[in-house]
Amino acid sequence: MNETQAAERLAFLAAEIARHNRLYHTDDAPEISDADYDALVRENNALEAQFPHLVRADSPSRLVGAAPAAHLAKVPHAKAMLSLENAFADDDVREFVARVRRFLNLADDVPVALTAEPKIDGLSCSLRYESGRLVLAATRGDGVVGEDVTPNVRTISDIPQTLRSSRAKSRGDGKEAEMRPSTSLGTSETEVPETFEIRGEVYMSKADFAALNERLAGERVFANPRNAAAGSLRQKDPSVTASRPLGFLAHGWGEASSLPADTQYGVIEAIRAWGVPVTDLLVRVESVDEALAHYRRIEAMRADLPFDIDGVVYKIDRLDWQARLGQVAKAPRWAIAHKFPAERAETTLERIDIQVGRTGKLTPVARLEPVTVGGVVVTNATLHNADEIARLGVRPGDRVVLQRAGDVIPQIVENLTRDAERDPWTFPTHCPECQSDAVREEGEVDIRCTGGLICPAQRLERLRHFVSRGALDIEGLGEKTLQEFLGLGWIAEPADIYRLAKHREELLGREGWKDKSVDNLLAAIEAKRAPDPVRLLFGLGIRHIGSITARDLLKRYVNFPAIQTLADEIIALRERMTAALGEEPRKFRARLDKAIAEHIGVENVGAAVGHALADFFHEPHNRTVWGDLLAEVSPPDFIVATRASEVSGQTIVFTGTLETMSRDEAKAQALALGAKVAGSVSAKTDLVVAGPGAGSKLKKAEELGIRVVDEAGWAEIVASAT
């Protein structure tokens, strides 16, 4: 993968992971399993490690949670709400404590006390008290900005409107001891600080979750108690929240004008004394072995607890040590979540169905004989992809081991009847939704539908992309409106958008549509009758053709008829070389890819793009969609108008943070000045534009004696061009 492809893949991953974060954290309607989500994150992290200079500001490795929902007011956190690093084995916990020792330079005989408590599977919430009175409640959001849910939180009986000052005894480890006041951090335990943010989890018990779903039968039911709690709290109407059985358990704090103790355990016990619920399973331990022993106790009682938990959280008890340890990008160094292993059960695989995702991915789903795993009745499990089916050797009728790890979508981990005589199950070669070819690209595990714009399963996502800001940018055609028009049968492909005017009178008769809103929408559509060709090509959603690749292709091939001709030539090239196949498949594929890349003849555009174009145009219905669209719109030829400048013909590299423009805007400026833009610095580089945070590229440019300017210097170059 070259740098351009990596940049586009990272952009895709950032958008896709953000979408799944929104579905999980904001919409409470996850589409994929934890394993699939983790695979996306791992791919993102691996690419960032390979191309560190391409790390984006919106990288999933830098962000926590998801942006606040639009229907709730945004509120900034006075102190960021971080996530936690995970431990999956005892050795991970021991290494965590060892890291703390090394960081603090502690002698071997100095004990490291920890607190240990269950990790509740709920919705993180921060409660701000001023003069002891609740003034603000906010969800975590993206960790920096959350959602204001104050009216909703006021309906939760567990959460006091006013904190009470009282003396309390510590609990949680079977011992009772008078809580000691802080020796260095201010007020005694009997006082409530002037400002204090209590943080914890809003949750719904398992029994209340089951009762709620039974009550909601026929409507939208919730997948699990966590989603039920999140969906119930984040309502527009607080009376809906009031009708839902929500609880709250505190586990930490944010901004505080003073602290009632100098230990984690002491502050939490003060919070308990002020009238806020805290788990009775919170303990203070003096060693790793004691912490792991408590983990075993909680694990043993997990199924009998009234609420879902997915692990145990350990925190360094001394607050001065916490302050010294600090945090990394999105997690504190002084805490870690020790996750529980997956729960397992045996059942029979009855059949395998194929689901087509919004991006065309074909996912096999196992339909199972119902079985209870961790208190949840499971009838479906993800099989991920064709490789996973081959690895497990599963077929309908097999007896399988099912695993569920705090995840609503379980997975099959073992086939107990692999040796039984049964016909193998074969992955379909055509999309079950539209019958288009289902293909698997070289080096990828996923099989995808090539139907694109005509596939019913992908239609909404493809249309949403087509009208998005980065593509056609048609104002007024948001996802909700597209869903409405799809449901009415008014649109099914991009060309239908340009024919919406014939539904004007029908649209005026629908709720929420008036003369002005209808006319504004139709005017916005008409304004895109001669769209920018790069945006149009990008908007078609052809795999591997992002905005940069679309520009590179059109710079070489100028217009849409030439792009179609290129695709036809690649189709013919593939057929011709395949017919003459006389060598080992891997060598043939390498030779074919080289031939396709050479035929395209565009720098940084490789065989993957060529195959994607060929796959798209191989489907007759895609050709129909393409032709239908071009009958409605007239994109101009793509001519790169360049101005004479001091950098004409030179190679430029942009590095660091650009503060007055995006990286794409800067590249467009360079191309307009007749320059070339490269992603790495070499002896062929003529100019480096370095913004704040420039690292290895700037250093290499200085070593090679290459001219370097800052963003202001680049602006002067642009302004001086004729």
Side-chain angles (χ1 to χ4, degrees), residues 454-476:
I454 63 92
C455 181
Q458 301 177 65
R459 192 164 284 152
L460 175 61
E461 181 67 13
R462 298 285 184 170
L463 289 171
R464 188 193 64 77
H465 173 72
F466 183 79
V467 302
S468 67
R469 183 170 298 177
L472 272 289
D473 192 19
I474 300 178
E475 189 173 350

Side-chain angles (χ1 to χ4, degrees), residues 620-638:
H621 40 243
N622 281 344
R623 290 178 177 270
T624 300
V625 167
W626 173 278
D628 201 17
L629 177 61
L630 292 182
E632 296 290 340
V633 300
S634 301
D637 288 353
F638 182 71

